[in-house]
Amino acid sequence: VASQVYPKELATVAALPSGTPIRLRPIRPEDEPLLIELAARMTPEDLRLRFFAAIRELTHEAAARLVRIDYAHDMALIAQPMHDEEILGVARYAATPDTREAEFAVAVRSDWKGHGVGWLLMEKLVDTARQRGIRVMSGLVLRANPNMLRFCRDLGFAIASNPDDPLTVFASLVLG
Ligand SMILES: CC(C)(COP(=O)(O)OP(=O)(O)OC[C@H]1O[C@@H](n2cnc3c(N)ncnc32)[C@H](O)[C@@H]1OP(=O)(O)O)[C@@H](O)C(=O)NCCC(=O)NCCS
């Protein structure tokens, strides 16, 4: 991974619909144990919906790859409470070398789903992608994930079938 400057200007505080403030910031290598803990606090079903595979835990190797990013082509934002370091959710994208398109993914800790954390993360991720010149953001979603499909539609993403895989669809947003 090409070493890049940590984009600390992306750190922000935003409020959930309940009024609870949440800190958002780009992930950094030191967050690896917190990311492993986040995965440990997701149900097997939520992990399967995120990774499309039955994984029992996030290994050190997998977590290391997810926290070491270049912030130029790859971005990952985490959500944290105001006074605790625990990670409540992550949204990330990986852009093509020309940074015109990016693929995204998002996961929220199972006991925090439905409180607006995913929404805050995705809004900030879309803003960041737009600022960085990405034109289209898309992601693969399992057809059997109606919550995510509804969430994507609410965020303005269009849903299209994936000709290569009947079990997944593409959720895409033009950022123009
Ligand atoms: C899918 C997932 C990322 C959604 O995140 P979340 O934090 O649970 O979702 P939110 O609480 O932000 O949104 C829930 C609802 O509130 C709405 N909402 C939340 N904040 C809002 C806001 N500020 N303004 C308007 N609507 C808002 C959302 O549109 C959504 O509506 P819906 O019920 O019609 O879908 C999360 O449930 C998750 O991690 N699931 C398991 C893993 C997974 O499926 N990942 C996706 C892989 S492709």
Side-chain angles (χ1 to χ4, degrees):
V1 173
S3 157
Q4 300 283 338
V5 177
Y6 180 76
K8 58 178 184 306
E9 70 280 2
L10 295 179
T12 186
V13 174
L16 297 176
S18 67
T20 303
I22 294 288
R23 293 183 293 154
L24 304 175
R25 66 163 171 83
I27 206 162
R28 35 176 195 239
E30 307 86 277
D31 294 322
E32 189 193 308
L34 295 172
L35 192 67
I36 290 173
E37 176 65 16
L38 164 68
R41 297 182 70 171
M42 290 181 65
T43 64
E45 173 64 1
D46 282 351
L47 283 174
R48 189 184 67 80
L49 293 173
R50 164 63 180 85
F51 292 104
F52 297 11
I55 67 162
R56 270 198 319 242
E57 57 171 11
L58 203 56
T59 62
H60 164 67
E61 290 72 22
R65 275 196 304 276
L66 293 169
V67 294
R68 269 172 249 283
I69 57 174
D70 70 7
Y71 307 109
H73 298 94
D74 299 342
M75 182 57 68
L77 301 174
I78 61 168
Q80 295 174 301
M82 290 305 286
H83 303 295
D84 205 329
E85 294 308 307
E86 59 187 344
I87 299 179
L88 306 180
V90 187
R92 62 198 314 127
Y93 67 65
T96 51
D98 63 7
T99 68
R100 292 174 75 86
E101 292 179 32
E103 191 175 323
F104 79 95
V106 55
V108 171
R109 211 172 79 188
S110 296
D111 60 335
W112 267 82
K113 288 191 303 178
H115 294 284
V117 171
W119 185 277
L120 289 186
L121 282 167
M122 284 304 295
E123 276 198 318
K124 181 72 180 170
L125 192 73
V126 166
D127 274 1
T128 303
R130 188 180 285 120
Q131 272 169 24
R132 289 165 176 239
I134 291 166
R135 308 278 179 81
V136 183
M137 206 160 81
S138 55
L140 278 176
V141 180
L142 288 169
R143 275 189 200 277
N145 191 355
N147 288 342
M148 179 62 184
L149 292 173
R150 203 176 53 235
F151 174 79
C152 287
R153 283 199 190 93
D154 288 350
L155 283 162
F157 283 74
I159 308 295
S161 56
N162 176 4
D164 296 328
D165 178 6
L167 295 181
T168 60
V169 294
F170 284 109
S172 321
L173 185 68
V174 177
L175 309 179

